[in-house]
Amino acid sequence: MVTRGFTGRRSGSEPTDRIPPGQHLVDNFPVLTAGPTPRIEPADWSFTLKVGPRPIKKWSWSEFIALPQTRMTRDIHCVTAWSKLNTAWEGVTIDDILADAGVEAPSPFALAHCYDGYSTNVPLADLASGKAMIALKFEGQPLPRDHGGPARLLVPHLYFWKSAKWVNGLQFTERDEAGFWELRGYHIYGDPWREQRYTND
Ligand SMILES: Nc1nc2c(c(=O)[nH]1)N[C@H]1C(S)=C(S)[C@@H](COP(=O)(O)O)O[C@H]1N2
Ligand SMILES: [Mo]
């Protein structure tokens, strides 16, 4: 007897243990950007690793795509309450970036910086050990511009505002410094499973 999905609701046929509290599933891929969408050509793109104010290493696009490329399929959860299962990404893990720069665990926190002036803070523990990457491809294609192309941070286990689009650098910091949305009322960490949406959640 078939009992799953008989209402025709998309969420009715999905494993609910993959949908955090307060979230619903979408099939499309909504675009959420605070300001205008920047146009960054790969030839003009670079990525800088800093420890505090000190630049450690800078990669051009051609240098960056020569780093080991890793595939990751993950569920993503936006604080505006949509979740999307099994999104497929390809890019360079933060572990491989740190290894290429010859640094190991520079400090407990980091800020991602972006071409549009956006920033967001993520602890090192949530970036390392294969948990996050700088994604260059989505579903096998170059990352679309409105989703952060040519490159975005992907931290799939935290709310999606942590996945900074048009990323151009990672800065390691001693203290957990709030980024763009964290300064504007969003949670400093943003765990969807604990519903850490706003500052005091
Ligand atoms: N540079 C930059 N990154 C950003 C944003 C932004 O405005 N600028 N918006 C964030 C927010 S609030 C969300 S929910 C996700 C949305 O990503 P998407 O447009 O690919 O769905 O990107 C995040 N990364
Ligand atoms: Mo968002």
Side-chain angles (χ1 to χ4, degrees):
M1 195 170 82
V2 177
T3 55
R4 284 196 313 164
F6 72 98
T7 61
R9 289 181 62 227
R10 179 78 169 85
S11 57
S13 60
E14 296 295 345
T16 51
D17 63 352
R18 287 170 66 180
I19 308 165
Q23 298 290 112
H24 66 266
L25 287 181
V26 295
D27 283 320
N28 62 328
F29 192 177
V31 170
L32 286 119
T33 306
T37 296
R39 180 180 295 275
I40 315 295
E41 301 300 332
D44 301 322
W45 182 88
S46 66
F47 186 86
T48 303
L49 180 71
K50 288 185 179 179
V51 175
R54 205 158 45 94
I56 301 295
K57 185 155 182 165
K58 183 175 177 174
W59 296 263
S60 67
W61 179 258
S62 57
E63 290 164 342
F64 201 79
I65 62 173
L67 297 176
Q69 303 292 313
T70 299
R71 288 183 190 167
M72 223 183 242
T73 298
R74 295 285 186 279
D75 304 340
I76 54 176
H77 312 287
C78 176
V79 74
T80 60
W82 57 267
S83 290
K84 190 170 175 60
L85 303 184
N86 302 315
T87 61
W89 306 83
E90 191 175 329
V92 183
T93 64
I94 307 304
D95 306 290
D96 284 331
I97 293 170
L98 292 176
D100 194 60
V103 294
E104 202 184 316
S107 69
F109 300 101
L111 272 170
H113 296 287
C114 306
Y115 280 101
D116 62 341
Y118 186 85
S119 60
T120 190
N121 56 303
V122 185
L124 170 65
D126 294 272
L127 295 173
S129 310
K131 287 183 170 174
M133 62 162 50
I134 302 298
L136 309 177
K137 288 187 177 177
F138 174 72
E139 307 291 352
Q141 300 297 317
L143 188 61
R145 191 159 72 97
D146 52 359
H147 288 299
R152 80 182 296 166
L153 178 63
L154 175 70
V155 192
H157 65 287
L158 299 180
Y159 279 125
F160 209 40
W161 87 76
K162 296 288 184 180
S163 292
K165 303 193 282 189
W166 313 292
V167 70
N168 63 7
L170 202 53
Q171 176 183 28
F172 281 88
T173 58
E174 283 302 327
R175 282 176 296 170
D176 201 5
E177 298 180 27
F180 182 87
W181 281 124
E182 296 82 6
L183 284 169
R184 290 165 176 79
Y186 285 83
H187 197 275
I188 193 76
Y189 182 64
D191 180 354
W193 294 98
R194 289 186 277 168
E195 271 207 277
Q196 294 174 337
R197 298 175 192 274
Y198 307 110
T199 304
N200 295 313
D201 287 349

